[in-house]
Coordinates of all heavy atoms in Angstrom, one line a residue:
E1 N -46.7 -44.3 26.9 CA -47.6 -45.5 27.0 C -49.1 -45.1 26.7 O -49.6 -44.1 27.1 CB -47.7 -46.0 28.5 CG -48.4 -47.1 28.7 CD -48.2 -47.7 30.1 OE1 -47.1 -48.0 30.5 OE2 -49.3 -47.9 30.8
E2 N -49.7 -45.9 25.7 CA -51.0 -45.7 25.2 C -52.0 -46.6 25.9 O -51.6 -47.8 26.3 CB -51.0 -45.8 23.8 CG -50.1 -44.8 22.9 CD -50.6 -43.4 23.0 OE1 -51.8 -43.2 23.0 OE2 -49.7 -42.6 23.1
E3 N -53.2 -46.2 26.1 CA -54.2 -47.1 26.5 C -55.2 -47.3 25.3 O -55.7 -46.4 24.7 CB -55.1 -46.4 27.6 CG -54.4 -46.7 29.1 CD -55.3 -46.2 30.1 OE1 -56.4 -45.8 30.0 OE2 -54.7 -46.3 31.2
L4 N -55.4 -48.5 24.9 CA -56.3 -48.9 23.9 C -57.5 -49.6 24.6 O -57.5 -50.3 25.3 CB -55.6 -49.8 23.0 CG -54.4 -49.4 22.1 CD1 -53.8 -50.5 21.4 CD2 -54.7 -48.2 21.3
V5 N -58.8 -49.2 24.0 CA -60.0 -49.8 24.4 C -60.2 -50.8 23.3 O -60.6 -50.4 22.2 CB -61.0 -48.9 24.8 CG1 -62.3 -49.7 25.0 CG2 -60.6 -48.0 25.8
I6 N -60.3 -52.2 23.5 CA -60.5 -53.1 22.4 C -61.5 -54.0 23.1 O -61.3 -54.7 24.0 CB -59.2 -53.9 22.1 CG1 -58.1 -53.0 21.6 CG2 -59.6 -55.0 21.1 CD1 -56.8 -53.6 21.3
G7 N -62.7 -54.0 22.5 CA -63.7 -55.0 22.9 C -64.2 -54.7 24.3 O -64.5 -55.7 25.0
G8 N -64.1 -53.5 24.8 CA -64.6 -53.2 26.1 C -63.5 -53.4 27.3 O -63.6 -53.0 28.3
S9 N -62.3 -54.0 26.9 CA -61.2 -54.0 27.8 C -60.1 -53.0 27.5 O -59.9 -52.6 26.3 CB -60.7 -55.4 27.8 OG -60.1 -55.7 26.6
I10 N -59.4 -52.6 28.6 CA -58.3 -51.6 28.3 C -57.0 -52.4 28.2 O -56.7 -53.3 29.1 CB -58.3 -50.5 29.5 CG1 -59.5 -49.7 29.5 CG2 -57.0 -49.8 29.4 CD1 -59.6 -48.7 30.5
R11 N -56.3 -52.1 27.3 CA -55.0 -52.8 27.0 C -53.9 -51.7 26.9 O -54.1 -50.7 26.2 CB -55.0 -53.5 25.8 CG -54.0 -54.6 25.6 CD -54.4 -55.4 24.4 NE -53.3 -55.1 23.3 CZ -53.5 -55.7 22.1 NH1 -54.7 -56.3 21.7 NH2 -52.7 -55.5 21.2
R12 N -52.8 -51.9 27.6 CA -51.8 -50.9 27.6 C -50.7 -51.3 26.5 O -50.4 -52.4 26.3 CB -51.1 -50.7 28.9 CG -51.9 -50.3 29.9 CD -51.1 -49.9 31.2 NE -52.0 -49.5 32.3 CZ -52.7 -48.3 32.4 NH1 -52.5 -47.4 31.6 NH2 -53.5 -48.1 33.5
F13 N -50.1 -50.3 25.8 CA -49.3 -50.4 24.8 C -48.2 -49.4 24.8 O -48.6 -48.2 24.8 CB -49.9 -50.4 23.4 CG -49.1 -50.8 22.3 CD1 -48.8 -52.1 21.9 CD2 -48.3 -49.8 21.6 CE1 -47.9 -52.4 20.9 CE2 -47.4 -50.1 20.4 CZ -47.1 -51.5 20.3
E14 N -47.0 -49.7 25.1 CA -46.0 -48.8 25.3 C -45.3 -48.4 23.9 O -45.0 -49.3 23.2 CB -44.8 -49.4 26.2 CG -45.3 -49.4 27.7 CD -44.2 -49.7 28.5 OE1 -43.1 -49.4 28.3 OE2 -44.5 -50.5 29.6
T15 N -45.1 -47.1 23.7 CA -44.5 -46.5 22.5 C -43.3 -45.7 23.0 O -43.3 -45.2 24.1 CB -45.5 -45.6 21.6 OG1 -46.0 -44.7 22.4 CG2 -46.6 -46.5 21.2
D16 N -42.2 -45.6 22.0 CA -41.2 -44.8 22.4 C -41.0 -43.8 21.3 O -41.7 -43.7 20.4 CB -39.9 -45.7 22.7 CG -39.5 -46.5 21.5 OD1 -40.0 -46.3 20.4 OD2 -38.8 -47.5 21.7
E17 N -39.7 -43.1 21.4 CA -39.5 -42.1 20.5 C -39.3 -42.7 19.0 O -39.9 -42.1 18.0 CB -38.1 -41.5 20.8 CG -37.8 -40.3 19.9 CD -36.5 -39.6 20.4 OE1 -36.0 -39.8 21.5 OE2 -35.9 -38.9 19.5
L18 N -38.7 -43.9 18.8 CA -38.6 -44.5 17.6 C -40.0 -44.8 16.9 O -40.2 -44.6 15.8 CB -37.8 -45.8 17.6 CG -37.5 -46.5 16.3 CD1 -37.0 -45.5 15.2 CD2 -36.6 -47.6 16.5
D19 N -40.9 -45.3 17.8 CA -42.3 -45.6 17.2 C -42.8 -44.3 16.8 O -43.6 -44.2 15.7 CB -43.1 -46.1 18.3 CG -42.8 -47.6 18.8 OD1 -42.3 -48.3 17.9 OD2 -42.9 -47.8 20.0
G20 N -42.7 -43.2 17.5 CA -43.2 -41.9 17.1 C -42.6 -41.4 15.8 O -43.4 -40.9 14.9
K21 N -41.4 -41.7 15.5 CA -40.6 -41.3 14.3 C -41.2 -42.1 13.2 O -41.5 -41.6 12.0 CB -39.2 -41.5 14.4 CG -38.4 -40.4 15.3 CD -37.0 -40.6 15.3 CE -36.2 -39.5 16.1 NZ -34.9 -39.8 16.2
L22 N -41.4 -43.4 13.3 CA -42.0 -44.3 12.3 C -43.5 -43.8 11.9 O -43.9 -43.7 10.8 CB -42.1 -45.7 12.8 CG -40.8 -46.5 12.6 CD1 -40.9 -47.9 13.3 CD2 -40.5 -46.9 11.2
L23 N -44.2 -43.5 13.0 CA -45.6 -43.1 12.7 C -45.7 -41.8 12.0 O -46.5 -41.6 11.0 CB -46.4 -43.0 14.1 CG -46.7 -44.4 14.7 CD1 -47.2 -44.2 16.1 CD2 -47.5 -45.2 13.9
S24 N -44.7 -40.9 12.4 CA -44.7 -39.6 11.7 C -44.3 -39.8 10.2 O -44.8 -39.1 9.4 CB -43.7 -38.6 12.4 OG -44.1 -38.2 13.6
A25 N -43.3 -40.6 10.1 CA -42.9 -40.9 8.6 C -44.0 -41.5 7.7 O -44.1 -41.2 6.6 CB -41.7 -41.8 8.5
L26 N -44.8 -42.4 8.5 CA -45.9 -43.0 7.7 C -47.0 -42.0 7.4 O -47.8 -42.2 6.5 CB -46.6 -44.1 8.6 CG -45.7 -45.4 8.6 CD1 -46.2 -46.5 9.6 CD2 -45.5 -46.1 7.2
C27 N -47.1 -41.0 8.2 CA -48.3 -40.0 7.9 C -47.7 -38.9 6.9 O -48.5 -38.0 6.6 CB -48.5 -39.3 9.2 SG -49.4 -40.4 10.3
G28 N -46.7 -39.1 6.3 CA -46.2 -38.0 5.3 C -47.1 -38.1 4.0 O -47.8 -39.1 3.7
R29 N -46.8 -37.2 3.2 CA -47.5 -37.2 1.9 C -47.2 -38.4 0.9 O -48.0 -38.7 0.1 CB -47.4 -35.8 1.3 CG -47.8 -34.7 2.0 CD -47.7 -33.3 1.3 NE -48.2 -33.3 -0.1 CZ -49.5 -33.1 -0.4 NH1 -50.3 -33.0 0.5 NH2 -49.8 -32.9 -1.7
K30 N -46.1 -38.8 0.9 CA -45.6 -39.9 0.1 C -45.5 -41.1 0.9 O -44.6 -41.2 1.9 CB -44.2 -39.5 -0.6 CG -43.6 -40.4 -1.6 CD -42.5 -39.7 -2.2 CE -41.2 -40.6 -2.2 NZ -40.1 -40.1 -2.7
P31 N -46.1 -42.2 0.5 CA -45.8 -43.5 1.2 C -44.4 -44.1 1.0 O -43.8 -43.9 -0.1 CB -46.8 -44.4 0.5 CG -47.5 -43.8 -0.6 CD -47.0 -42.3 -0.6
L32 N -43.9 -44.5 2.2 CA -42.6 -45.0 2.2 C -42.5 -46.5 2.4 O -43.3 -47.0 3.3 CB -41.8 -44.4 3.2 CG -41.5 -42.9 3.1 CD1 -40.7 -42.3 4.4 CD2 -40.7 -42.6 1.8
S33 N -41.7 -47.3 1.7 CA -41.6 -48.7 1.9 C -40.7 -49.0 3.2 O -40.0 -47.9 3.7 CB -40.9 -49.4 0.8 OG -39.6 -48.9 0.6
A34 N -40.6 -50.1 3.7 CA -39.8 -50.5 4.9 C -38.3 -50.1 4.6 O -37.6 -49.4 5.5 CB -39.9 -52.0 5.3
P35 N -37.8 -50.4 3.4 CA -36.4 -50.0 3.2 C -36.2 -48.5 3.1 O -35.2 -47.9 3.6 CB -36.0 -50.6 1.9 CG -36.9 -51.7 1.7 CD -38.2 -51.3 2.4
Q36 N -37.1 -47.8 2.6 CA -37.2 -46.2 2.5 C -37.3 -45.7 4.0 O -36.5 -44.7 4.3 CB -38.2 -45.8 1.7 CG -38.0 -46.0 0.2 CD -39.1 -45.6 -0.6 OE1 -40.4 -45.9 -0.3 NE2 -38.9 -45.1 -1.9
L37 N -38.1 -46.2 4.8 CA -38.2 -45.7 6.2 C -36.9 -46.0 6.9 O -36.4 -45.2 7.6 CB -39.4 -46.6 6.9 CG -40.8 -46.1 6.6 CD1 -41.7 -47.1 7.1 CD2 -41.1 -44.8 7.1
A38 N -36.3 -47.2 6.7 CA -35.0 -47.5 7.4 C -34.0 -46.5 7.0 O -33.3 -46.0 7.9 CB -34.6 -49.0 7.0
Q39 N -33.9 -46.2 5.7 CA -32.8 -45.3 5.2 C -33.1 -43.9 5.8 O -32.1 -43.3 6.2 CB -32.8 -45.3 3.7 CG -31.7 -44.4 3.2 CD -31.6 -44.5 1.7 OE1 -32.5 -44.8 1.0 NE2 -30.5 -44.0 1.1
S40 N -34.3 -43.4 5.8 CA -34.6 -42.0 6.2 C -34.4 -41.9 7.7 O -34.1 -40.8 8.2 CB -36.1 -41.7 5.9 OG -37.0 -42.4 6.6
L41 N -34.7 -43.0 8.5 CA -34.4 -42.9 9.9 C -33.1 -43.4 10.3 O -32.7 -43.3 11.5 CB -35.5 -43.8 10.6 CG -37.0 -43.3 10.4 CD1 -37.9 -44.2 11.0 CD2 -37.2 -41.8 11.0
G42 N -32.2 -44.0 9.4 CA -30.9 -44.4 9.8 C -30.9 -45.6 10.7 O -30.0 -45.7 11.5
I43 N -31.8 -46.5 10.5 CA -31.9 -47.8 11.3 C -32.0 -49.0 10.4 O -32.4 -48.8 9.3 CB -33.1 -47.7 12.2 CG1 -34.4 -47.6 11.6 CG2 -32.8 -46.6 13.3 CD1 -35.6 -47.6 12.4
P44 N -31.6 -50.2 10.8 CA -31.9 -51.4 9.9 C -33.3 -51.6 9.5 O -34.2 -51.3 10.3 CB -31.3 -52.4 10.8 CG -30.5 -51.8 12.0 CD -31.1 -50.5 12.1
R45 N -33.3 -52.2 8.3 CA -34.7 -52.5 7.7 C -35.5 -53.5 8.7 O -36.6 -53.4 8.9 CB -34.6 -53.1 6.4 CG -36.0 -53.2 5.8 CD -35.8 -53.8 4.3 NE -35.2 -55.1 4.3 CZ -34.9 -55.8 3.1 NH1 -35.3 -55.2 2.1 NH2 -34.4 -56.9 3.3
S46 N -34.7 -54.5 9.3 CA -35.3 -55.4 10.1 C -35.9 -54.9 11.4 O -36.8 -55.3 12.0 CB -34.3 -56.6 10.6 OG -33.2 -55.8 11.2
T47 N -35.2 -53.7 11.9 CA -35.9 -53.0 13.0 C -37.1 -52.4 12.6 O -38.1 -52.3 13.3 CB -34.8 -52.0 13.5 OG1 -33.6 -52.6 13.9 CG2 -35.4 -51.2 14.7
V48 N -37.2 -51.8 11.5 CA -38.4 -51.1 10.9 C -39.5 -52.1 10.8 O -40.6 -52.0 11.2 CB -38.2 -50.4 9.6 CG1 -39.5 -50.0 8.9 CG2 -37.2 -49.2 9.7
Q49 N -39.2 -53.3 10.2 CA -40.3 -54.3 10.0 C -40.8 -54.8 11.4 O -41.9 -55.1 11.5 CB -39.7 -55.5 9.2 CG -40.8 -56.3 8.6 CD -41.8 -55.5 7.8 OE1 -41.4 -54.9 6.8 NE2 -43.0 -55.5 8.1
Y50 N -39.9 -55.1 12.3 CA -40.1 -55.5 13.6 C -41.1 -54.5 14.4 O -42.2 -54.8 14.9 CB -39.0 -55.8 14.5 CG -39.3 -55.9 16.0 CD1 -39.6 -57.3 16.3 CD2 -39.2 -54.9 16.9 CE1 -40.0 -57.4 17.7 CE2 -39.5 -55.1 18.2 CZ -39.9 -56.4 18.6 OH -40.3 -56.6 19.9
R51 N -40.8 -53.2 14.2 CA -41.6 -52.2 14.9 C -42.9 -52.1 14.3 O -43.9 -51.8 14.9 CB -40.8 -50.9 14.9 CG -39.6 -50.8 15.7 CD -39.9 -50.9 17.2 NE -38.7 -50.7 18.0 CZ -38.6 -49.6 18.9 NH1 -39.5 -48.8 19.0 NH2 -37.5 -49.5 19.6
L52 N -43.0 -52.1 12.9 CA -44.3 -52.0 12.2 C -45.2 -53.1 12.7 O -46.3 -53.0 12.8 CB -44.0 -51.9 10.7 CG -43.4 -50.7 10.2 CD1 -43.1 -50.8 8.7 CD2 -44.2 -49.5 10.4
N53 N -44.6 -54.4 12.6 CA -45.4 -55.5 13.0 C -45.9 -55.4 14.5 O -47.1 -55.8 14.8 CB -44.6 -56.8 12.9 CG -44.4 -57.3 11.6 OD1 -45.0 -56.8 10.6 ND2 -43.3 -58.0 11.2
R54 N -45.1 -54.8 15.3 CA -45.4 -54.6 16.7 C -46.5 -53.7 16.8 O -47.5 -53.8 17.7 CB -44.2 -54.3 17.6 CG -44.3 -54.3 19.0 CD -43.1 -54.0 19.7 NE -42.6 -52.6 19.7 CZ -43.2 -51.7 20.6 NH1 -44.3 -51.9 21.2 NH2 -42.7 -50.4 20.5
L55 N -46.5 -52.6 16.0 CA -47.5 -51.5 16.1 C -48.8 -52.1 15.6 O -49.9 -51.8 16.0 CB -47.1 -50.3 15.3 CG -46.0 -49.5 15.9 CD1 -45.3 -48.5 15.0 CD2 -46.5 -48.8 17.2
E56 N -48.7 -53.0 14.5 CA -50.0 -53.6 14.0 C -50.6 -54.5 15.0 O -51.7 -54.5 15.2 CB -49.6 -54.3 12.7 CG -49.3 -53.5 11.6 CD -48.7 -54.2 10.2 OE1 -48.7 -55.6 10.4 OE2 -48.5 -53.6 9.3
E57 N -49.8 -55.3 15.7 CA -50.4 -56.3 16.7 C -50.8 -55.7 17.8 O -51.8 -56.1 18.5 CB -49.2 -57.3 17.0 CG -48.8 -58.3 15.9 CD -47.6 -59.1 16.1 OE1 -47.0 -59.0 17.3 OE2 -47.1 -59.8 15.1
G58 N -50.2 -54.5 18.1 CA -50.7 -53.7 19.4 C -51.9 -52.9 19.0 O -52.5 -52.2 19.9
G59 N -52.4 -53.0 17.8 CA -53.6 -52.1 17.4 C -53.4 -50.6 17.2 O -54.3 -49.9 17.0
I60 N -52.1 -50.2 17.1 CA -51.8 -48.8 16.9 C -52.0 -48.5 15.3 O -52.5 -47.6 14.9 CB -50.4 -48.4 17.3 CG1 -50.3 -48.7 18.7 CG2 -50.1 -47.0 16.8 CD1 -51.1 -47.9 19.6
L61 N -51.4 -49.5 14.5 CA -51.6 -49.4 13.0 C -52.8 -50.4 12.7 O -52.7 -51.6 12.9 CB -50.3 -49.8 12.3 CG -49.2 -48.7 12.3 CD1 -48.0 -49.3 11.7 CD2 -49.6 -47.5 11.7
K62 N -53.7 -49.9 12.0 CA -54.9 -50.7 11.6 C -54.8 -51.1 10.1 O -55.0 -52.2 9.7 CB -56.3 -50.0 11.9 CG -56.5 -49.8 13.4 CD -57.0 -51.0 13.9 CE -57.4 -50.8 15.4 NZ -57.7 -52.1 16.0
R63 N -54.5 -50.2 9.3 CA -54.4 -50.4 7.8 C -53.7 -49.3 7.2 O -53.5 -48.3 7.7 CB -55.9 -50.6 7.2 CG -56.7 -49.2 7.3 CD -58.0 -49.4 6.7 NE -58.7 -50.3 7.7 CZ -60.1 -50.1 8.0 NH1 -60.6 -49.1 7.4 NH2 -60.7 -50.9 8.8
Y64 N -53.3 -49.6 6.0 CA -52.6 -48.6 5.1 C -53.5 -48.3 3.9 O -53.9 -49.2 3.3 CB -51.2 -49.3 4.6 CG -50.3 -49.6 5.7 CD1 -50.4 -51.0 6.2 CD2 -49.4 -48.7 6.2 CE1 -49.6 -51.3 7.2 CE2 -48.6 -49.2 7.2 CZ -48.6 -50.5 7.7 OH -47.7 -50.9 8.8
L65 N -53.7 -47.0 3.7 CA -54.5 -46.7 2.5 C -53.6 -45.9 1.5 O -52.8 -45.1 1.9 CB -55.7 -45.8 3.0 CG -56.6 -46.4 4.0 CD1 -57.6 -45.3 4.5 CD2 -57.4 -47.5 3.4
Y66 N -53.8 -46.2 0.2 CA -53.2 -45.5 -0.9 C -54.2 -45.0 -1.7 O -55.2 -45.6 -2.1 CB -52.3 -46.4 -1.6 CG -51.3 -47.1 -0.8 CD1 -51.3 -48.3 -0.1 CD2 -50.1 -46.4 -0.5 CE1 -50.5 -48.8 0.7 CE2 -49.1 -46.9 0.3 CZ -49.2 -48.0 0.9 OH -48.3 -48.6 1.8
F67 N -54.0 -43.7 -2.1 CA -55.0 -43.0 -3.0 C -54.3 -42.7 -4.4 O -53.3 -42.1 -4.4 CB -55.5 -41.7 -2.4 CG -56.3 -41.9 -1.1 CD1 -55.6 -41.8 0.1 CD2 -57.5 -42.1 -1.2 CE1 -56.2 -42.0 1.3 CE2 -58.3 -42.4 0.0 CZ -57.6 -42.3 1.2
V68 N -54.9 -43.4 -5.3 CA -54.3 -43.3 -6.8 C -55.3 -42.4 -7.5 O -56.4 -42.6 -7.6 CB -54.3 -44.6 -7.5 CG1 -53.7 -44.5 -8.8 CG2 -53.4 -45.7 -6.6
P69 N -54.8 -41.2 -8.2 CA -55.6 -40.4 -8.9 C -56.3 -41.1 -10.1 O -55.7 -42.0 -10.8 CB -54.6 -39.4 -9.4 CG -53.5 -39.4 -8.4 CD -53.4 -40.8 -8.1
A70 N -57.5 -40.7 -10.3 CA -58.3 -41.3 -11.4 C -57.6 -41.3 -12.8 O -57.9 -42.3 -13.6 CB -59.7 -40.8 -11.5
R71 N -56.8 -40.2 -13.0 CA -56.3 -40.1 -14.3 C -55.2 -41.3 -14.7 O -55.0 -41.6 -15.8 CB -55.6 -38.8 -14.5 CG -54.3 -38.6 -13.7 CD -53.8 -37.3 -13.9 NE -52.6 -37.2 -13.2 CZ -52.6 -36.6 -11.9 NH1 -53.6 -36.1 -11.4 NH2 -51.4 -36.5 -11.3
Y72 N -54.8 -42.0 -13.7 CA -53.9 -43.1 -13.9 C -54.6 -44.3 -14.4 O -54.0 -45.3 -14.9 CB -53.0 -43.5 -12.7 CG -52.1 -42.4 -12.3 CD1 -52.3 -41.6 -11.2 CD2 -51.0 -42.2 -13.1 CE1 -51.3 -40.7 -10.8 CE2 -50.0 -41.2 -12.7 CZ -50.2 -40.4 -11.7 OH -49.3 -39.4 -11.4
F73 N -56.0 -44.3 -14.3 CA -56.8 -45.4 -14.7 C -57.3 -45.1 -16.1 O -58.2 -45.8 -16.6 CB -57.9 -45.9 -13.8 CG -57.2 -46.4 -12.5 CD1 -57.4 -45.6 -11.3 CD2 -56.8 -47.6 -12.5 CE1 -56.9 -46.0 -10.2 CE2 -56.2 -48.1 -11.3 CZ -56.3 -47.4 -10.2
G74 N -57.0 -44.0 -16.7 CA -57.6 -43.5 -18.0 C -58.9 -42.8 -17.8 O -59.6 -42.5 -18.8
A75 N -59.4 -42.5 -16.6 CA -60.6 -41.7 -16.4 C -60.5 -40.3 -16.6 O -59.3 -39.7 -16.5 CB -61.0 -42.1 -15.1
T76 N -61.4 -39.6 -17.2 CA -61.4 -38.2 -17.5 C -61.9 -37.6 -16.2 O -62.9 -37.9 -15.6 CB -62.2 -37.9 -18.7 OG1 -61.9 -38.6 -19.8 CG2 -62.2 -36.4 -18.8
V77 N -61.2 -36.5 -15.7 CA -61.5 -35.8 -14.5 C -62.1 -34.5 -14.9 O -61.4 -33.7 -15.6 CB -60.4 -35.7 -13.5 CG1 -60.7 -35.0 -12.3 CG2 -59.8 -37.1 -13.2
Y78 N -63.3 -34.2 -14.5 CA -63.9 -32.9 -14.8 C -63.9 -32.0 -13.5 O -64.1 -32.5 -12.5 CB -65.3 -33.0 -15.2 CG -65.5 -33.8 -16.6 CD1 -65.7 -35.2 -16.6 CD2 -65.2 -33.2 -17.8 CE1 -65.7 -35.9 -17.8 CE2 -65.4 -33.8 -18.9 CZ -65.5 -35.3 -19.0 OH -65.6 -36.0 -20.2
K79 N -63.6 -30.7 -13.7 CA -63.7 -29.8 -12.6 C -64.9 -29.1 -12.6 O -65.5 -28.8 -13.5 CB -62.5 -28.9 -12.6 CG -61.2 -29.7 -12.3 CD -60.0 -28.7 -12.3 CE -58.7 -29.5 -12.0 NZ -57.6 -28.7 -11.8

């Protein structure tokens, strides 16, 4: 169970082992889609989507960031 402080109030949010596995998979080096997460964890895609939505609504997941190397945009990278 996690305690979140949002706008000065404390809100409780319960997480379980599956939530932990999802969060760990999201923190990997390669971003995974919901179907890829479902396959890697051996659970239905609908379960993954439900859990991700719940984590977002609970304030555990705030945003997803993707970093694209500059060379993919045709920029020259100097070292």
